[in-house]
Amino acid sequence: MNLQQVFESHTGRKTTKWTHYPYYYERHLKEFIGRPITILEIGVEDGGSLQVWKKYFGANCKVVGVDINSNTMYQEPQIFTECGSQTDIDFLQRVIQKHGPPDIIIDDGSHVQTDILKTIPFLFNSLNEGGYYIVEDLHTAYWNSHEGGISSPYNFVTIASRFVHDVNKQFVEEPFTPSLNSLMEISFYNSLIFMRKGNPPVSQMTFFGK
């Protein structure tokens, strides 16, 4: 069963996702199915997406939800929730210490641009090698209500576009400090960004043909 089918057949707690999201999640994350992984999702709300991840990735995964609203807390086999703010680094550190480093992190939290920017430096470093950091609902990067806008200095889409330099750091000739250490790849979609942790392969020129 693919992820779209898991969402469509889901009868547990309510979940809301844009209809194109499952396709991109499937493209990047299907290799994790059945593996003993930890998923950390910021933003629990009704809790349905945590159940969907459990169904999709299987009996070996642990799903941890983080939310600032205590009314969203619940627990069931494989699913754990922790109450706290995504901008509270001490809290996030305690979550990582308790549940272990994640293989997949999904930021579906406040969607306020400065909140995203405060969260990512610590949590990206906490990812296991080869893991994914995903930021959802980035249409808010263009909304003034979420500190966004094309000209906003906090627009995360604009800022993340500069992370491409981190992927290509082997070619940089001037002094350069990567924004995210060990960023192997970054992919941009409608309202969605996937970032994979790992060291990009050192490229060498290869000639083909005669």
Side-chain angles (χ1 to χ4, degrees), residues 34-80:
R35 289 168 50 180
I37 60 169
T38 297
I39 303 153
L40 174 62
E41 181 163 26
I42 301 170
V44 175
E45 199 169 17
D46 296 302
S49 63
L50 306 183
Q51 294 180 326
V52 167
W53 303 136
K54 181 174 78 167
K55 291 176 185 176
Y56 179 66
F57 291 107
N60 293 320
C61 77
K62 175 197 283 190
V63 186
V64 181
V66 165
D67 202 293
I68 199 168
N69 184 355
S70 61
N71 293 327
T72 65
M73 300 293 100
Y74 78 99
Q75 187 167 318
E76 64 181 56
Q78 296 179 245
I79 292 178
F80 307 85

Side-chain angles (χ1 to χ4, degrees), residues 10-181:
H10 178 63
T11 57
R13 290 171 174 264
K14 181 181 175 182
T15 182
T16 304
K17 297 287 185 187
W18 289 98
T19 55
H20 64 283
Y21 280 9
Y23 172 79
Y24 294 111
Y25 273 105
E26 181 95 20
R27 173 189 282 186
H28 288 275
L29 303 181
K30 62 183 177 181
E31 67 182 84
F32 293 96
I33 294 174
R35 289 168 50 180
I37 60 169
T38 297
I39 303 153
L40 174 62
E41 181 163 26
I42 301 170
V44 175
E45 199 169 17
D46 296 302
S49 63
L50 306 183
Q51 294 180 326
V52 167
W53 303 136
K54 181 174 78 167
K55 291 176 185 176
Y56 179 66
F57 291 107
N60 293 320
C61 77
K62 175 197 283 190
V63 186
V64 181
V66 165
D67 202 293
I68 199 168
N69 184 355
S70 61
N71 293 327
T72 65
M73 300 293 100
Y74 78 99
Q75 187 167 318
E76 64 181 56
Q78 296 179 245
I79 292 178
F80 307 85
T81 54
E82 303 289 347
C83 188
S85 171
Q86 73 175 99
T87 63
D88 184 343
I89 303 306
D90 290 337
F91 161 70
L92 294 177
Q93 193 164 28
R94 291 194 297 272
V95 171
I96 299 299
Q97 289 172 343
K98 180 177 180 180
H99 296 286
D103 300 280
I104 298 168
I105 296 174
I106 302 166
D107 186 344
D108 187 20
S110 73
H111 308 306
V112 173
Q113 302 304 288
T114 52
D115 288 355
I116 296 170
L117 291 167
K118 288 174 184 174
T119 303
I120 192 170
F122 171 74
L123 281 185
F124 187 84
N125 285 334
S126 301
L127 262 178
N128 279 323
E129 193 83 358
Y132 277 95
Y133 195 108
I134 302 147
V135 184
E136 288 191 353
D137 294 349
L138 281 169
H139 51 280
T140 57
Y142 304 98
W143 292 357
N144 292 333
S145 60
H146 288 68
E147 300 179 347
I150 288 288
S151 60
S152 170
Y154 308 117
N155 183 312
F156 184 72
V157 174
T158 301
I159 291 169
S161 68
R162 303 176 196 140
F163 296 168
V164 174
H165 300 314
D166 299 355
V167 178
N168 291 283
K169 61 187 177 183
Q170 77 168 97
F171 304 109
V172 178
E173 295 182 334
E174 60 261 48
F176 173 69
T177 302
S179 299
L180 295 178
N181 289 318

